[in-house]
Amino acid sequence: MSAIPQADIERAIRTTAATVLRNEHYFSDLDGLAGDGDFGTSLATGFRVIDNEWGEIDKSNIGAMLLKISMLVSKHVGGSSGPIWGTGFMKAAMLTRGKEEISLDELAEMLGAAIEGIQARGGAKLGDKTLLDALIPVHETLKGHCAAGDKAAALKDCAGVAEQAIDETRTLVAHRGRASQVGERSANTPDPGIVSIAVILNDWCKEFGIANTPTVAEVVNQPA
Ligand SMILES: [Mg+2]
């Protein structure tokens, strides 16, 4: 079965909020290695509002829900992450207007649109050591699973690819985002945005009962 019901997307968003809140200090500590140390707090400020207002968020369909999430993220997530993450959710919302279920293909299209939106908004490209270095390979992996349509296998592989992205970008120097302002100091530190994507996908695996064993330190060592 490749159909993804709205209930699963709601679970994924609630799980994401829980992940972000649990990792607030951890993500900020990672950001502090080369950046200004605000990443965890910025994300948590926005996702705490989503968590608190969950009952009032319009859930008449996936698009309506994601549009509201995008507005809350844009308004309440601080720093440079608010417009970046908000744009991602908004692009995904535009493709799911009126839908109460999506296919794996549609999920891949949503992620593709989110990536394009984030690139247009922030000007980063692959290799700039931003969360796009996780999202772009995850998108490619997701597309590769569309024909077979196995949701669980797709999520597990996407989580693995995001985790690999932490190690593959660790030694790069950041060219975009706040970490770029410290130049060489960003080499040999993980990008917190990439770590956050890997940790979120790992938690989605747990939430949906998909066996996944992380091996990269930043995912293994996150707070329980
Ligand atoms: Mg920062």
Side-chain angles (χ1 to χ4, degrees), residues 63-208:
M65 177 175 69
L66 291 178
L67 186 63
K68 181 64 185 176
I69 299 281
S70 80
M71 293 190 295
L72 292 175
V73 165
S74 297
K75 186 172 176 194
H76 297 288
V77 169
S80 50
S81 300
I84 298 289
W85 288 58
T87 297
F89 279 107
M90 190 190 60
K91 295 294 177 182
M94 286 163 65
L95 290 178
T96 47
R97 276 192 205 127
K99 290 181 198 277
E100 292 173 15
E101 176 183 283
I102 53 168
S103 66
L104 214 47
D105 292 82
E106 287 171 320
L107 182 65
E109 284 167 25
M110 287 159 69
L111 180 55
I115 288 168
E116 280 178 28
I118 289 169
Q119 279 180 318
R121 192 76 180 73
K125 57 183 192 317
L126 192 67
D128 283 344
K129 201 169 179 173
T130 73
L131 84 171
L132 287 169
D133 286 352
L135 294 180
I136 291 170
V138 163
H139 181 226
E140 291 305 314
T141 302
L142 187 55
K143 283 194 288 183
H145 274 277
C146 284
D150 184 337
K151 290 185 290 188
L155 178 51
K156 184 182 167 68
D157 280 355
C158 286
V161 162
E163 214 195 329
Q164 279 174 32
I166 299 171
D167 273 345
E168 285 168 1
T169 57
R170 191 181 298 277
T171 57
L172 297 178
V173 174
H175 295 295
R176 285 276 165 184
R178 296 274 167 80
S180 64
Q181 293 164 13
V182 300
E184 294 296 329
R185 187 155 71 85
S186 65
N188 249 326
T189 61
D191 177 72
I194 297 171
V195 173
S196 71
I197 300 299
V199 169
I200 287 166
L201 290 175
N202 183 59
D203 280 0
W204 286 6
C205 286
K206 276 192 224 165
E207 171 67 19
F208 291 103

